[in-house]
């Protein structure tokens, strides 16, 4: 396959952003209404998973071949945004205690779930790209 065809097939960033935005908005609303709360255990798990993703991405990029570098280049900006956003928002929520129905706390919790779901979905995009563009 050519570089252009591979890049078009592998670019699912728009879909990932839309789905992650929906998850983030729903999480923010549910947090504001006190239907769902983010327990500190969840925040630590999200933080740990994001750091693990960062380590795996480092290893993946280090052992990338010329074909797989195209896939990584297509998905890397959104994937890194999701990983670093997850780490940052998890640290903020761990460091600052918000009231159960705080608007700011709900927005930051929604941002955490936006970034976390962006990380997971972009990882699926990266795997899809690596499989389809490895020809």
């Amino acid at each position: 396959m050519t570089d252009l065809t591979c890049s078009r097939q592998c670019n699912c960033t728009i879909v990932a952003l839309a789905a992650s935005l929906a998850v983030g908005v729903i999480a923010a609303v549910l947090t504001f209404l006190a239907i769902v709360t983010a327990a500190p255990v969840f925040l630590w798990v999200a933080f740990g998973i994001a750091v693990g993703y960062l380590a795996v991405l480092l290893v993946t990029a280090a052992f990338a071949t010329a074909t797989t570098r195209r896939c990584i280049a297509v998905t890397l900006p959104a994937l890194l945004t999701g990983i670093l956003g997850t780490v940052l928002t998890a640290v903020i929520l761990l460091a600052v205690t918000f009231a159960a129905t705080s608007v700011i706390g709900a927005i930051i919790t929604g941002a955490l779930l936006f970034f976390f779901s962006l990380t997971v979905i972009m990882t699926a995009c990266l795997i899809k790209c690596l499989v389809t563009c490895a020809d």
Side-chain angles (χ1 to χ4, degrees):
M1 287 186 188
T2 64
D3 290 345
L4 185 61
T5 306
C6 183
S7 296
R8 269 193 231 133
Q9 285 180 349
C10 300
N11 197 4
C12 60
T13 306
I14 302 296
V15 174
L17 285 171
S20 298
L21 185 62
V23 169
V25 168
I26 291 169
V29 169
L30 292 177
T31 302
F32 180 71
L33 296 175
I35 296 172
V36 175
T37 59
V41 168
F42 171 73
L43 301 175
W44 281 110
V45 168
F47 178 80
I49 289 172
V51 170
Y53 268 108
L54 195 57
V56 169
L57 187 62
L58 175 66
V59 171
T60 303
F63 293 112
T65 62
T67 304
T68 57
R69 281 197 178 119
R70 288 190 311 250
C71 296
I72 292 172
V74 170
T75 59
L76 187 65
L79 185 56
L80 278 176
T81 301
I83 291 170
L84 297 177
T86 300
V87 169
L88 178 66
T89 53
V91 167
I92 290 170
L93 287 170
L94 285 167
V96 180
T97 305
F98 293 102
T101 58
S102 167
V103 173
I104 296 172
I107 291 171
I108 296 174
T109 303
L112 171 69
L113 286 167
F114 165 77
F115 288 124
F116 186 72
S117 61
L118 181 65
T119 301
V120 172
I121 296 169
M122 286 308 298
T123 302
C125 288
L126 177 63
I127 292 168
K128 174 187 170 263
C129 185
L130 290 173
V131 168
T132 58
C133 295
D135 298 338

